[in-house]
Amino acid sequence: MRDDFGREINYLRISVTDRCNLRCRYCMPEAGYADIIPREEILSFEEIVRVAEAAAKLGIRKIRLTGGEPLVRHNVVDLISKIHEIEGIEEIGITTNGILLPEMAEDLKKAGVTRVNISIDTMDPEKYKRITRGGDLNRVLAGIEAAKKAGLTPVKLNVVALGGFNEDEFGDFIELTRRENYIIRFIELMPIGHADVGDSYGFISNQEILSRFPELVPVENEKFSVSDDYRLPDGKGKVGFISALSHHFCASCNKIRLTSDGKIKPCLHSNEEIDMKGPLAVSDEAVLEALDRSIHHKVEHHLLNEGAAPIERDMNKIGG
Ligand code: SAM
Ligand code: SF4
């Protein structure tokens, strides 16, 4: 299905929970649980599947589960199995902090997950603890190994670029792609929700990172990808740049988002939300109609650089 600007919309990102077992400074307020979505407002598996079925009828082919941390949602593997059965869905990805992957990678693969993106902003255990407010880096490293072992490859590693925090490690991350078939993706820090990165971490543009590594050569981007891809000349993997601010990719945006409390967000960077709970209470046709409407509500491009109102929802309540 095409939106009003001719973009083919084939990708639905589903946030299955706003809960998380970490508290990354750029994503969640420290007192994350003071502001949690009440349990009764979170969509049930049945409701999520009904939205996904309607989406598939409208041409959605790819689904990604995110959060919060998707792997903390109880029985999420069952949800994935159900989504896997939906006619038309060709790909199921998951974006995770990796903490629970050591135990879950095999089951996720069996349930139908094809791709996994693991967030890891530093390879220094102390710094990891600081940015995640308490996380254990060893769990993530074990999670990456478990994903590889389960065949959830190529593994994508998401690195939020934070000036003054992980700048000194960009080269190490890029170097990883020389010997491993990893896809490292640098993500620009986005001004979303009530995140607090403190005074010490700042925005650093992807152009700035690229300028520091002239050895990177451009390669063809993946179809419908929002990442600009490069590689080391002799590298096995790739290095991608997701530049939501400095060089936005709105013209090739192919996605809509479903929040865990049942709102469709046609654009990550807009406060507009379309309620799905009302339609879910009426009928599958009403769900289909509301989804169709939300695709037509996609804006041409975000206005973050033009002084748009800040995004009120925290990132853990949207799903990055
Ligand atoms: N918990 C999972 C994780 O961390 O991968 C999935 C949800 S998280 C909200 C999805 C992605 O959004 C992560 O890669 C995270 O680093 C990124 N993210 C969160 N807050 C962000 C922000 N303010 N700017 C840029 N990326 C952000
Ligand atoms: Fe949790 Fe992911 Fe947000 Fe970190 S980025 S607090 S792991 S949802």
Side-chain angles (χ1 to χ4, degrees):
M1 160 152 191
R2 290 191 183 271
D3 72 0
D4 293 355
F5 304 96
R7 295 172 293 202
E8 189 182 341
I9 308 303
N10 55 16
Y11 184 178
L12 172 66
R13 241 180 227 204
I14 304 176
S15 173
V16 294
T17 179
D18 63 328
R19 274 75 167 163
C20 187
N21 45 4
L22 298 179
R23 290 280 178 283
C24 301
R25 287 173 188 274
Y26 49 73
C27 176
M28 260 186 158
E30 185 159 20
Y33 281 128
D35 187 26
I36 206 164
I37 298 174
R39 194 165 295 276
E40 60 279 11
E41 288 181 23
I42 301 267
L43 290 186
S44 67
F45 284 177
E46 192 225 326
E47 289 171 319
I48 294 174
V49 169
R50 282 177 60 206
V51 175
E53 281 170 347
K57 284 192 185 132
L58 289 174
I60 296 292
R61 296 289 164 261
K62 184 171 162 186
I63 285 186
R64 173 166 294 278
L65 300 193
T66 177
E69 172 49 39
L71 300 187
V72 303
R73 174 93 192 238
H74 193 52
N75 291 333
V76 72
V77 172
D78 293 345
L79 172 65
I80 293 165
S81 300
K82 291 189 177 101
I83 293 174
H84 188 51
E85 286 167 13
I86 298 175
E87 203 183 318
I89 298 302
E90 295 164 5
E91 205 180 307
I92 305 176
I94 193 154
T95 300
T96 170
N97 59 32
I99 297 283
L100 294 173
L101 268 183
E103 294 81 14
M104 296 180 70
E106 282 284 346
D107 289 344
L108 292 171
K109 173 77 181 176
K110 278 189 206 141
V113 171
T114 40
R115 295 213 163 197
V116 68
N117 289 15
I118 302 170
S119 301
I120 177 168
D121 303 323
T122 171
M123 288 183 279
D124 174 323
E126 280 313 310
K127 280 166 76 178
Y128 186 79
K129 208 166 247 166
R130 217 180 321 141
I131 197 71
T132 59
R133 298 194 182 100
D136 178 359
L137 181 69
N138 282 327
R139 295 281 312 171
V140 188
L141 298 177
I144 294 172
E145 289 310 312
K148 279 159 56 180
K149 191 159 167 245
L152 292 167
T153 49
V155 168
K156 282 191 182 166
L157 301 181
N158 287 355
V159 180
V160 177
L162 294 162
F165 176 73
N166 55 6
E167 280 178 90
D168 55 334
E169 297 184 66
F170 294 163
D172 300 334
F173 277 114
I174 292 171
E175 197 54 36
L176 266 183
T177 68
R178 196 184 299 278
R179 47 182 199 276
E180 297 270 5
N181 183 20
Y182 290 151
I183 303 174
I184 304 289
R185 300 191 320 165
F186 290 108
I187 302 176
E188 286 181 349
L189 181 63
M190 294 181 277
I192 287 187
H194 305 92
D196 165 29
V197 287
D199 294 333
S200 42
Y201 311 139
F203 175 81
I204 176 163
S205 76
N206 276 333
Q207 279 81 355
E208 169 63 27
I209 303 177
L210 254 175
S211 71
R212 294 183 196 176
F213 299 96
E215 62 273 39
L216 288 172
V217 290
V219 294
E220 199 178 328
N221 295 341
E222 282 176 39
K223 203 174 166 203
F224 303 125
S225 172
V226 293
S227 155
D228 285 323
D229 293 337
Y230 291 74
R231 71 176 346 136
L232 289 169
D234 59 345
K236 286 190 178 157
K238 282 195 273 189
V239 181
F241 292 89
I242 302 185
S243 316
L245 269 89
S246 64
H247 177 236
H248 71 68
F249 35 76
C250 306
S252 56
C253 179
N254 62 339
K255 62 172 91 71
I256 52 172
R257 294 177 153 82
L258 175 66
T259 68
S260 54
D261 55 348
K263 314 274 189 247
I264 290 284
K265 276 186 78 73
C267 170
L268 171 63
H269 299 296
S270 154
N271 282 314
E272 184 177 22
E273 300 181 344
I274 288 136
D275 172 59
M276 295 305 289
K277 280 195 185 149
L280 276 163
V282 177
S283 67
D284 288 343
E285 287 68 36
V287 173
L288 197 83
E289 192 275 326
L291 262 184
D292 185 278
R293 196 157 26 91
S294 66
I295 289 174
H296 286 296
H297 272 241
K298 271 183 80 68
V299 288
E300 188 172 12
H301 59 83
H302 73 63
L303 299 171
L304 280 182
N305 297 326
E306 288 125 71
I311 304 308
E312 286 150 17
R313 266 181 190 263
D314 290 321
M315 194 67 162
N316 65 302
K317 292 191 185 142
I318 304 174

